[in-house]
Amino acid sequence: MDVFVTGGTGTIGAQVVRQLVRDGASVIALARSEASAAKLRSLGASAYPGDLRAPEGWVSRAASCDALIHAGATFSSDMGRTDRQCMLALKQAARHRHQPLKVIYTGGIWLFPAVGGGRKITEKTSFSPLPAFRFMSETIRMLSNGTDLNLAVVHPALACSRETGPIADMTQALKAGRPFETRATPDTVWPLVETGDLAELYLLALRQPRFRLSLIAASISGISVGHLASHISARHGRPLEIVTAPAADDVDPDSDWTAGYALSQAIDTSHTHRITGWQPDHSAVEDLVVALSR
C-alpha cells in the first residue's frame, strides 16, 4: 500500500510513519524543510517537498496514492483556513480516481463536550468543539459529503509519549522541582492514549472498508489529574503539586489551543474495539506511567 502522510514528523505522525514502515507500507510524507525530510528518511519514508499552506504543490501526488493520513496542522492563526483549503484541494484532486481515496483525518477529543455524572463520550455524542478547533467539525462534514473519499476520522485522546503530553510534562515539572501548571483542576478527568498504541489504530483504520467511520482513541478512558499526579509522584518518590492556571486575559478563544485541558471528559471506546479489534498495550495507568515517566 502507498500511503501519503501529512504531519509525519509530529508527535502522532512520526509514530504513524514508523508503524506503517514496519507494516510494509510504502510511505510518502510531506516535508516543509530539509530537516523534516531528513527525519522522515531516517524513519524509512520518502519525503515529498511541500507545505500545508500550498496544497496545489502536493495534493495530486497524495491523490495518486492508495491512502492519505492527515496528521498535520500549523497551530497558528491560519490553522483552520489552512486545514479546510488543503482538504478541499485533496477532495477535488481525488474526483477522477477509479476508486475512492482512503483518507484518515485526525480529529480530536476536544471536538466533544465536557461530561460528568459518570457519563462517557461515544462516537454518537454530538460535537461541541472549542472555538480553536471548530474548523475541524466543518472540515469533517465537507469530507463526508459525496463518494470521492472513503473517510475515517480518528479522534485521539490526550496523546502521550516520553517527550510530549501530560505525563511527560508532569514528569518534567516534578524533576525540575516546580509545580505542574495546567488549565485543569485536580478533579478534571483526562482521557489518555500512548502514541504507539494510537498509531496502531491508524493502521487498523486503514484496513476498514466502511465509509464515514468515526473512531475515538483512548487507552485510558479517563483519570483525574490529581490521581495521575499521584501515580507519577509514587513513581519518582516525590510529591507533585498541581496549580490551576487561568487563561491569559489577552488570549483569543479562536487560538486558545490549551483550553481543552480544562475539559473533564471520559471516553467509551467499545465501538473502536468492536469495529477494529484494537487492543492498546498501555491500557492501565501504571503501565503508561512506567513506560513514559522516565
Side-chain angles (χ1 to χ4, degrees), residues 39-59:
K39 180 175 180 179
L40 290 167
R41 288 192 290 267
S42 73
L43 296 175
S46 299
Y48 195 86
D51 193 314
L52 288 175
R53 294 183 175 91
E56 64 279 1
W58 56 268
V59 289

Side-chain angles (χ1 to χ4, degrees), residues 24-258:
S26 175
V27 183
I28 306 162
L30 191 66
R32 194 175 60 174
S33 67
E34 181 51 41
S36 294
K39 180 175 180 179
L40 290 167
R41 288 192 290 267
S42 73
L43 296 175
S46 299
Y48 195 86
D51 193 314
L52 288 175
R53 294 183 175 91
E56 64 279 1
W58 56 268
V59 289
S60 294
R61 182 67 184 94
S64 71
C65 293
D66 298 313
L68 174 135
I69 294 177
H70 182 47
T74 64
F75 283 101
S76 60
S77 60
D78 66 348
M79 182 166 72
R81 182 174 66 255
T82 297
D83 192 73
R84 287 191 296 270
Q85 287 177 346
C86 69
M87 288 297 97
L88 179 59
L90 176 72
K91 187 172 183 178
Q92 292 172 340
R95 284 183 301 176
H96 304 299
R97 288 173 52 96
H98 294 299
Q99 293 182 338
L101 176 66
K102 181 74 175 185
V103 172
I104 299 183
Y105 181 87
T106 303
I109 200 62
W110 293 344
L111 292 177
F112 296 93
V115 295
R119 292 177 297 137
K120 291 187 175 183
I121 293 167
T122 73
E123 287 79 0
K124 293 183 179 180
T125 302
S126 297
F127 286 159
S128 181
L130 294 171
F133 298 96
R134 189 180 295 122
F135 71 89
M136 284 187 178
S137 59
E138 298 167 357
T139 301
I140 290 168
R141 281 195 295 270
M142 181 270 292
L143 293 174
S144 299
N145 290 331
T147 57
D148 300 317
L149 305 177
N150 181 355
L151 178 68
V153 181
V154 175
H155 294 289
L158 275 63
C160 299
S161 73
R162 291 185 183 180
E163 295 79 27
T164 60
I167 293 176
D169 293 344
M170 284 181 165
T171 301
Q172 290 168 11
L174 185 147
K175 289 184 175 180
R178 55 180 170 78
F180 174 66
E181 292 191 6
T182 175
R183 300 286 287 276
T185 71
D187 294 329
T188 302
V189 173
W190 285 345
L192 308 174
V193 63
E194 193 268 335
T195 53
D197 289 335
L198 177 58
E200 180 61 29
L201 179 59
Y202 277 78
L203 267 65
L204 292 170
L206 273 180
R207 300 174 187 143
Q208 296 298 313
R210 294 176 54 176
F211 275 61
R212 300 179 183 88
L213 186 63
S214 178
L215 302 168
I216 295 180
S219 49
I220 307 298
S221 64
I223 181 171
S224 73
V225 175
H227 192 190
L228 181 59
S230 70
H231 277 278
I232 295 171
S233 295
R235 169 71 173 161
H236 294 279
R238 283 183 275 171
L240 175 63
E241 180 186 359
I242 305 297
V243 174
T244 302
D249 293 336
D250 59 348
V251 68
D252 180 358
D254 290 334
S255 59
D256 187 4
W257 323 123
T258 64

